Amino acid sequence: MTPPRAEILSQGDELVTGQIADTNAAWLSERLTELGFLVTRHTTVGDDLDALTGVLREIGARAELCVGTGGLGPTVDDLTAEAAACAFARPLREDPEALRQIRSWFAGRAEPMPEVNRKQALLPDGARRLDNLRGTAPGFALNHAGCRFFFLPGVPHEMEFMFEHAVKTDIQSSFRTRPGQRVTLRVLGIGESTLQQRLDAIAMPPGIKLGFRTVPPENHVKLLFPAPFPTSERDTLVEKIRCALGPSVFSIDTPEQAGGTLIECVDRLMRQANASLATLETTSRGHLAQLCGAHPWWTYGLVIPDTRPVPVRLGLLPRDGLSDDLPDAAALAERLRLQQGTSHALACLESPPDTRELVIAIAAGSGIVTARRRLDGNPRYRQALSAALALDFLRRTLSTPAD
Amino acid sequence: MTPPRAEILSQGDELVTGQIADTNAAWLSERLTELGFLVTRHTTVGDDLDALTGVLREIGARAELCVGTGGLGPTVDDLTAEAAACAFARPLREDPEALRQIRSWFAGRAEPMPEVNRKQALLPDGARRLDNLRGTAPGFALNHAGCRFFFLPGVPHEMEFMFEHAVKTDIQSSFRTRPGQRVTLRVLGIGESTLQQRLDAIAMPPGIKLGFRTVPPENHVKLLFPAPFPTSERDTLVEKIRCALGPSVFSIDTPEQAGGTLIECVDRLMRQANASLATLETTSRGHLAQLCGAHPWWTYGLVIPDTRPVPVRLGLLPRDGLSDDLPDAAALAERLRLQQGTSHALACLESPPDTRELVIAIAAGSGIVTARRRLDGNPRYRQALSAALALDFLRRTLSTPAD
């Protein structure tokens, strides 16, 4: 079965002039690919009726599904319904339920509906209205010449909500596709070229799409398995990849279970251990406090330029000056733990300062563990990387039961 | 003079399936618009020779300039040169200088050039080679049927470098355009709809493009003036807008001078004042330390969940417990300043905790100033917003000479 062809259409002068970047197209493409479509093209045009009408006809001639975003607002620049009416020769009609919803959206904000918003209730004849539960602009769907068109708002959170709550089920009843199975391995500390090299050594059965995505400082290995791929074989292959990549894989998302982000993994382990944490960081410049800060087990964070001028003022060490060796990062973590009364303390320092040698020390009641990591990349990247490496070491420590 | 029409073409399966988002298109569109082009369309297609050949012919028939990115790599999926050769009936030829550059790129890394990379030296007959000083893939330019095509690598930093160092001058000698003048007002604490409302009251001369861009938590008002717009009239209008938006405008970028980001403004003022800073933050969760952390005038950052459990452990206040009123934030800032021996100390607290009422206190030798701000948005946004509001208050304090 060849997958049906889908195209994405984005509309707006602000996109075509680069005033905002189009994030909707990538989001929709990923969803449609997962749902079993072959996405063949994205097109972006400005607020121009002729261009828009023309591109709708072109897409109708090429694809079986089109998802369009933007141009549903109340102003004269919002031309999607008019363009669809032109392109498909269907006059615009006022949808009474759409009008009622727009009025009630304003009523909910104790505002009268401006007359311009009435335009948003005009839909091409025979279109299916898609309710917008997050904003004023309703979307709509229609068929033309063997292609099903969906028109959604351009505001990402409105668009995503409408896609998940109205478009997906419509697509699933209109098309017989075979959704793939997406597996994502999240990796820290291995670059994309090394990842690719290690994966080259693994025989990949045909039909599996392999992709990489960098979400600095993490790298994600993305596998899309065809729908009928047996789960046990899938899991065997994923396990083989996990072994090839080693302990740098901190989390795996499958259709059955989300492994989650690094801080989500740490959060799970901290809660399981009923632990609490204080942090001291230099190189990571507050990234560590920021990542931990939303969680109840984190109680205290100290951020300093480096460890040279402050040991006494911090009250963490009784003597003046720190030597730059591993034991002192350990001592610092232990003092911090005792001073703050937490079960764990984490120190994340460049030591000696400015050497790109990261020292991570974790103090707990059961003892102190330390690790050294090499930092690379530009300064901003090194900040995020050192925080992630420190959290990852905490994750590894919490995952390994104490002797 | 009507501006020449330009289109952007992005190529890659990873784009069309949404595995990575296309940031090149927006970047190029903004540059081309500034250079005086009318960007009318973006198209993205996958690694498919027929689709690519077809779309090149379509663009050639519609536009006078096309900038394409991606598909210049060494693998079988990289089809740009082949597609251009097909679409424009120009056989591929090996460019000796391109081959020499690719070899020397590998030699610089003490690696032999893999045989597959030889493919990257094949360019359509008569094309102009564009040297890639940041990677292996050379770009190229050619004319076909009244349209000038540029093909650049897909890696953003290689693409941007090649655009700035080779494409821009080529474009400027190939086209007679009139580049516009871009002015950006950076604003903190006013939402887009309020911005729009305040600007509605200002009569805008014709030909000026007005746009908004949200770079959370900032909002940017972007004005693109036509080339012949007199500078003095431009500056008068910008000043009128600045007055309408009030002190929330923290910086203005003009073609002559970059006002810069909020932290760049603070950095300038801190250096001018020869000042140093310690910070204490709750709600902003390390964002403040992170923003200040790269600058030599910042020496110490404390990040805590809220002010309730820690005043004694912090050693900042002699008594147990803090009341939740303004004077204590001020006292905290002053103690921090004395404890750390800095010229300034900044405390940024939600007070009372969890009320979305931000209290900012700045202690300096000349006295203590405080401000209250209301926080809105989701938790992650509030973190970034409170750090920005604190920095902005520091900026305003430093800009105003003490009485």
Side-chain angles (χ1 to χ4, degrees):
Chain A
M1 193 176 100
T2 43
R5 293 162 70 96
E7 294 198 22
I8 314 283
L9 172 62
S10 309
Q11 191 216 323
D13 274 351
E14 71 284 9
L15 294 174
V16 95
T17 58
Q19 290 184 294
I20 61 172
D22 184 7
T23 55
N24 289 337
W27 190 92
L28 282 168
S29 286
E30 194 166 12
R31 289 297 160 290
L32 293 175
T33 304
E34 282 170 4
L35 286 170
F37 289 85
L38 181 68
V39 182
T40 51
R41 198 187 276 221
H42 304 171
T43 308
T44 308
V45 290
D47 303 320
D48 177 306
L49 189 62
D50 289 343
L52 204 50
T53 308
V55 84
L56 286 174
R57 291 201 185 113
E58 289 169 28
I59 293 174
R62 283 189 305 248
E64 288 146 273
L65 172 71
C66 171
V67 182
T69 59
L72 298 179
T75 74
V76 287
D77 299 341
D78 292 299
L79 296 166
T80 298
E82 200 177 337
C86 277
F88 310 134
R90 302 187 186 214
L92 290 173
R93 298 197 195 287
E94 188 169 273
D95 181 307
E97 173 57 20
L99 186 61
R100 198 196 59 75
Q101 289 177 5
I102 297 165
R103 279 196 204 285
S104 98
W105 191 90
F106 281 99
R109 277 151 191 78
E111 291 172 33
M113 184 190 85
E115 202 46 39
V116 288
N117 288 73
R118 187 162 192 138
K119 171 174 180 273
Q120 296 180 293
L122 293 174
L123 304 183
D125 194 28
R128 178 190 161 203
R129 184 191 64 252
L130 303 170
D131 297 334
N132 187 344
L133 305 173
R134 292 275 178 103
T136 59
F140 59 94
L142 53 80
N143 288 328
H144 183 81
C147 182
R148 185 144 184 83
F149 287 84
F150 292 88
F151 297 98
L152 312 182
V155 179
H157 77 100
E158 294 181 22
M159 183 283 286
E160 293 170 14
F161 194 84
M162 194 179 279
F163 186 89
E164 296 292 358
H165 291 83
V167 177
K168 228 165 86 175
T169 47
D170 186 317
I171 283 179
Q172 283 165 331
S173 69
S174 309
F175 291 89
R176 279 185 52 228
T177 64
R178 314 190 75 174
Q181 310 169 52
R182 166 84 68 199
V183 174
T184 304
L185 293 97
R186 297 172 191 246
V187 180
L188 188 73
I190 308 186
E192 193 174 312
S193 53
T194 312
L195 281 177
Q196 201 141 16
Q197 236 166 30
R198 294 206 195 160
L199 291 175
D200 279 347
I202 295 172
M204 208 67 82
I208 298 173
K209 273 190 203 140
L210 174 66
F212 298 94
R213 190 171 199 157
T214 300
V215 186
E218 297 174 14
N219 278 296
H220 297 176
V221 178
K222 300 196 136 197
L223 299 156
L224 188 63
F225 291 83
F229 205 91
T231 311
S232 64
E233 273 181 55
R234 184 200 76 190
D235 290 346
T236 308
L237 182 69
V238 170
E239 185 54 26
K240 202 185 273 181
I241 294 173
R242 200 179 67 78
C243 289
L245 303 181
S248 302
V249 177
F250 62 83
S251 162
I252 300 176
D253 294 333
T254 66
E256 296 83 32
Q257 197 173 12
T261 62
L262 183 53
I263 185 68
E264 283 166 355
C265 295
V266 169
D267 181 43
R268 264 198 308 271
L269 292 162
M270 288 295 286
R271 286 170 190 265
Q272 275 165 22
N274 201 18
S276 59
L277 183 72
T279 54
L280 166 65
E281 57 191 305
T282 61
T283 319
S284 48
R285 299 270 191 249
H287 273 85
L288 202 50
Q290 198 185 307
L291 284 163
C292 297
H295 299 283
W297 39 260
W298 175 85
T299 64
Y300 180 91
L302 199 57
V303 193
I304 49 176
D306 62 44
T307 48
R308 278 170 296 201
V310 282
V312 174
R313 281 207 317 263
L314 297 182
L316 284 176
L317 282 184
R319 58 193 168 73
D320 191 34
L322 280 171
S323 93
D324 294 324
D325 221 5
L326 279 180
D328 277 343
L332 217 43
E334 178 61 8
R335 294 270 174 168
L336 182 63
R337 188 179 78 86
L338 297 173
Q339 187 203 56
Q340 295 300 319
T342 49
S343 72
H344 288 68
L346 173 57
C348 171
L349 318 166
E350 215 169 323
S351 173
D354 303 323
T355 53
R356 306 203 179 177
E357 289 290 332
L358 189 71
V359 182
I360 309 163
I362 296 171
S366 56
I368 306 168
V369 285
T370 57
R372 275 194 173 272
R373 300 278 188 268
R374 178 97 195 128
L375 298 173
D376 57 16
N378 64 45
R380 186 172 290 271
Y381 177 79
R382 290 203 301 274
Q383 292 173 16
L385 179 63
S386 38
L389 289 169
L391 276 185
D392 188 54
F393 185 54
L394 180 59
R395 175 191 69 81
R396 296 187 196 200
T397 307
L398 292 166
S399 320
T400 318
D403 292 329
Chain B
M1 192 178 99
T2 43
R5 295 162 69 93
E7 295 199 20
I8 313 284
L9 171 62
S10 309
Q11 190 216 324
D13 274 351
E14 71 284 8
L15 293 173
V16 94
T17 58
Q19 291 185 292
I20 60 172
D22 184 8
T23 54
N24 288 336
W27 189 91
L28 282 168
S29 288
E30 194 166 13
R31 287 300 157 290
L32 293 176
T33 304
E34 282 171 3
L35 286 171
F37 289 86
L38 181 67
V39 183
T40 51
R41 196 186 278 222
H42 303 171
T43 308
T44 309
V45 290
D47 302 320
D48 178 305
L49 190 62
D50 289 344
L52 204 51
T53 308
V55 84
L56 286 174
R57 290 199 186 115
E58 289 169 27
I59 293 173
R62 282 190 304 248
E64 287 145 277
L65 172 71
C66 171
V67 182
T69 59
L72 298 179
T75 76
V76 288
D77 299 342
D78 292 300
L79 297 165
T80 298
E82 200 178 336
C86 276
F88 309 134
R90 301 188 187 213
L92 290 173
R93 298 197 196 286
E94 189 169 273
D95 182 308
E97 173 57 20
L99 186 61
R100 198 197 60 74
Q101 289 178 5
I102 297 166
R103 279 196 204 283
S104 98
W105 192 89
F106 281 98
R109 277 152 191 77
E111 290 172 34
M113 182 190 87
E115 202 45 38
V116 289
N117 288 74
R118 186 159 192 142
K119 172 174 179 271
Q120 296 180 294
L122 293 174
L123 303 183
D125 193 28
R128 178 190 161 203
R129 184 190 66 253
L130 302 169
D131 298 334
N132 187 344
L133 304 173
R134 291 275 177 105
T136 60
F140 59 95
L142 52 80
N143 289 326
H144 184 80
C147 182
R148 183 144 184 84
F149 286 84
F150 291 89
F151 297 98
L152 312 182
V155 178
H157 77 99
E158 292 181 22
M159 183 282 288
E160 292 170 15
F161 193 85
M162 196 180 279
F163 186 90
E164 296 292 356
H165 291 84
V167 177
K168 228 165 85 175
T169 46
D170 186 318
I171 284 178
Q172 284 165 331
S173 68
S174 308
F175 292 89
R176 277 187 52 226
T177 63
R178 313 189 75 172
Q181 310 169 53
R182 167 84 70 198
V183 174
T184 303
L185 293 97
R186 300 173 191 243
V187 180
L188 188 73
I190 309 186
E192 192 175 314
S193 53
T194 311
L195 281 177
Q196 201 141 18
Q197 237 166 30
R198 295 207 195 157
L199 291 175
D200 279 348
I202 296 172
M204 206 69 79
I208 298 173
K209 274 190 204 142
L210 174 66
F212 298 94
R213 190 172 200 158
T214 301
V215 186
E218 297 173 13
N219 279 296
H220 297 177
V221 178
K222 300 193 137 199
L223 299 156
L224 187 63
F225 290 83
F229 205 92
T231 311
S232 64
E233 273 181 53
R234 183 199 76 189
D235 291 346
T236 308
L237 182 69
V238 170
E239 185 54 27
K240 204 186 269 181
I241 295 174
R242 200 180 67 78
C243 289
L245 303 180
S248 303
V249 177
F250 63 83
S251 163
I252 300 176
D253 294 333
T254 66
E256 296 84 32
Q257 195 172 15
T261 63
L262 183 51
I263 186 67
E264 283 166 355
C265 295
V266 170
D267 181 43
R268 264 198 307 271
L269 292 163
M270 288 295 286
R271 286 171 190 264
Q272 275 166 21
N274 201 16
S276 59
L277 183 72
T279 54
L280 166 65
E281 56 191 307
T282 61
T283 319
S284 49
R285 300 271 190 246
H287 272 86
L288 202 49
Q290 200 184 306
L291 284 164
C292 297
H295 299 283
W297 39 261
W298 174 86
T299 64
Y300 180 91
L302 198 56
V303 194
I304 48 175
D306 62 44
T307 49
R308 280 170 296 200
V310 281
V312 173
R313 281 209 316 264
L314 296 182
L316 285 176
L317 282 184
R319 58 194 168 72
D320 192 36
L322 281 171
S323 93
D324 294 322
D325 223 5
L326 279 179
D328 278 343
L332 217 42
E334 178 60 8
R335 294 271 175 167
L336 182 63
R337 188 179 79 87
L338 296 174
Q339 187 203 56
Q340 295 300 319
T342 48
S343 72
H344 288 68
L346 172 58
C348 171
L349 318 166
E350 216 169 322
S351 173
D354 302 325
T355 52
R356 305 199 178 181
E357 289 291 332
L358 190 70
V359 182
I360 308 163
I362 296 170
S366 54
I368 307 169
V369 286
T370 58
R372 276 195 173 270
R373 300 279 187 269
R374 178 98 195 126
L375 298 173
D376 58 15
N378 65 46
R380 186 172 290 270
Y381 177 78
R382 291 203 300 275
Q383 293 173 17
L385 179 63
S386 37
L389 289 170
L391 275 185
D392 188 53
F393 185 53
L394 180 60
R395 175 190 69 82
R396 295 188 197 199
T397 306
L398 292 166
S399 321
T400 319
D403 293 329

